[in-house]
Amino acid sequence: MRLFTGPRISALALAAAVAAAPFASAQAQVTKIQSNPQALILDAADVKAGTDIIFLSGQLASPVDPKKTFADVKSIDDLGDTKTQTISVLTKIKALLEARGYTMADLVKLTLFVAADPKLGHMDFAGANEGFKQFFKTADNPTTVARSTFQVAALAGPYFLIEIEGIAAKKK
């Protein structure tokens, strides 16, 4: 019984194809696309097949006082304003990435969910950007990410002003 009815592949051709297979993943790449180099965010990120990707769940700020737990949080002052919370969340994201061999430069997409600051009566987009600037387009990380920002009615707790989720990608 003959199972293969197509053209015969020589042993040499088959060996060459198998030998080339590992190099396909070595060509994996991430291209960050930015039409305006002065812009704070990317236009897009192109992630090719064979690239390692990590999806980060939404992260929330930690209490300003590291001795406090979430049970101790009784006001926005315990978590800080939007800028302070953004820095806290991005610090958590940085630690999550580094624990898995990624860097902040490997981030390709962030989604920011921002609640209104009761002191302002609206979301503090400028504060979120000020916190963001501590991690992107810096001497340590001259890159940036594709990003979306949404104002939301509320987050997981009454004193959270920002939640950030992300996607990072790097060559294998």
Side-chain angles (χ1 to χ4, degrees):
M1 173 191 245
R2 186 171 180 207
L3 297 175
F4 182 73
T5 59
R8 292 183 184 226
I9 299 176
S10 72
L12 184 57
L14 183 57
V18 170
F23 296 109
S25 64
Q27 295 176 0
Q29 65 180 6
V30 177
T31 304
K32 293 185 174 186
I33 303 161
Q34 187 169 34
S35 57
N36 177 359
Q38 304 305 316
L40 188 57
I41 61 175
L42 297 176
D43 296 322
D46 185 8
V47 180
K48 300 293 185 194
T51 303
D52 284 339
I53 299 175
I54 186 169
F55 295 84
L56 302 171
S57 294
Q59 301 297 312
L60 295 164
S62 295
V64 174
D65 181 348
K67 295 175 189 159
K68 288 189 175 185
T69 68
F70 286 113
D72 299 323
V73 173
K74 304 296 182 207
S75 73
I76 286 179
D77 294 332
D78 291 327
L79 293 172
D81 62 10
T82 301
K83 176 182 176 182
T84 301
Q85 288 192 32
T86 301
I87 292 168
S88 175
V89 172
L90 290 172
T91 299
K92 278 184 169 180
I93 287 172
K94 182 177 181 182
L96 283 168
L97 291 171
E98 288 175 352
R100 286 150 189 86
Y102 290 80
T103 68
M104 293 297 277
D106 294 321
L107 281 167
V108 294
K109 176 71 167 95
L110 290 176
T111 305
L112 284 61
F113 302 95
V114 186
D117 182 332
K119 294 177 184 177
L120 301 175
H122 56 81
M123 81 168 174
D124 184 6
F125 186 71
N129 276 341
E130 285 304 310
F132 187 84
K133 289 177 187 177
Q134 305 288 316
F135 295 84
F136 301 96
K137 296 274 190 156
T138 66
D140 290 337
N141 179 19
T143 70
T144 192
V145 299
R147 189 183 89 182
S148 299
T149 304
F150 299 93
Q151 181 171 349
V152 296
L155 292 166
Y159 309 118
F160 292 109
L161 299 176
I162 189 163
E163 181 174 342
I164 303 174
E165 64 181 28
I167 302 169
K170 67 177 184 168
K171 280 187 172 185
K172 285 189 176 198

